[in-house]
């Protein structure tokens, strides 16, 4: 009888150890998955290019994102500029479809870099207008 009790106790202890180990491994796996997901979200957030507006809000560090009005003909150039300079932007809904411009939200800390793009476009348009006026 004592032998049967000892065998049962040994089996119960073995099952208890196995369950505790399984719970511990599951917790480690959950922590690993949470860490991987967090890392993936951070990497996706920091990737240059177009993002959701909520991502731009996160990148703005509590400040309001700035809005750019870009002529529709310059949008492709803007996207190339954003990717080449590792910048972030979000396309906003066009509230005035007849003005020929698109609105983009950008993080305020990246605004000085976007100024160089807008200045280059303004200079290019000015030179085009000058050549047209000369003709």
């Amino acid at each position: 009888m004592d032998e049967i009790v000892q065998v049962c106790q040994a089996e119960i202890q073995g099952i208890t150890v196995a369950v505790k180990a399984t719970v511990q491994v599951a917790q480690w796996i959950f922590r690993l998955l949470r860490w991987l997901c967090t890392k993936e979200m951070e990497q996706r957030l920091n990737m240059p290019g177009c993002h959701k507006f909520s991502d731009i809000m996160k990148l703005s560090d509590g400040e309001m994102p700035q809005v750019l009005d870009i002529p529709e003909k310059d949008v492709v150039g803007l996207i190339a500029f954003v990717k080449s300079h590792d910048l972030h932007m979000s396309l906003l809904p066009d509230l005035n479809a007849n003005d020929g411009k698109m609105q983009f939200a950008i993080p305020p800390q990246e605004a000085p870099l976007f100024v160089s793009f807008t200045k280059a476009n303004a200079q290019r348009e000015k030179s085009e207008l000058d050549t047209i006026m000369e003709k």
Side-chain angles (χ1 to χ4, degrees):
M1 189 75 143
D2 285 339
E3 294 172 357
I4 296 174
V5 171
Q6 287 177 346
V7 169
C8 288
Q9 286 176 345
E11 286 182 20
I12 290 172
Q13 287 175 349
I15 291 172
T16 304
V17 169
V19 168
K20 286 181 181 179
T22 303
V23 168
Q24 187 66 35
V25 169
Q27 287 175 344
W28 288 339
I29 291 172
F30 180 72
R31 286 183 197 149
L32 175 67
L33 289 175
R34 186 173 44 191
W35 178 80
L36 288 174
C37 289
T38 304
K39 201 67 155 164
E40 174 67 25
M41 287 175 22
E42 287 174 0
Q43 288 175 347
R44 191 169 17 110
L45 182 65
N46 291 321
M47 285 179 58
C50 294
H51 292 272
K52 297 184 293 186
F53 184 73
S54 60
D55 292 342
I56 298 299
M57 288 294 289
K58 289 176 189 173
L59 289 170
S60 296
D61 296 328
E63 296 181 42
M64 283 301 296
Q66 295 191 358
V67 176
L68 296 176
D69 283 333
I70 302 294
E72 290 177 352
K73 61 183 171 124
D74 297 332
V75 169
V76 174
L78 176 67
I79 293 171
F81 179 80
V82 165
K83 288 184 179 179
S84 67
H85 289 84
D86 293 337
L87 300 174
H88 308 87
M89 69 178 190
S90 174
L91 177 63
L92 297 175
D94 196 0
L95 300 177
N96 187 358
N98 296 328
D99 67 351
K101 294 185 178 185
M102 298 177 75
Q103 289 76 33
F104 294 92
I106 61 170
Q109 62 269 23
E110 295 179 0
L113 296 170
F114 281 96
V115 168
S116 65
F117 174 80
T118 55
K119 281 185 180 179
N121 279 345
Q123 288 175 348
R124 181 180 47 80
E125 286 182 22
K126 183 182 179 296
S127 66
E128 287 175 0
L129 288 174
D130 288 344
T131 56
I132 290 172
M133 294 301 281
E134 287 175 4
K135 291 181 182 180

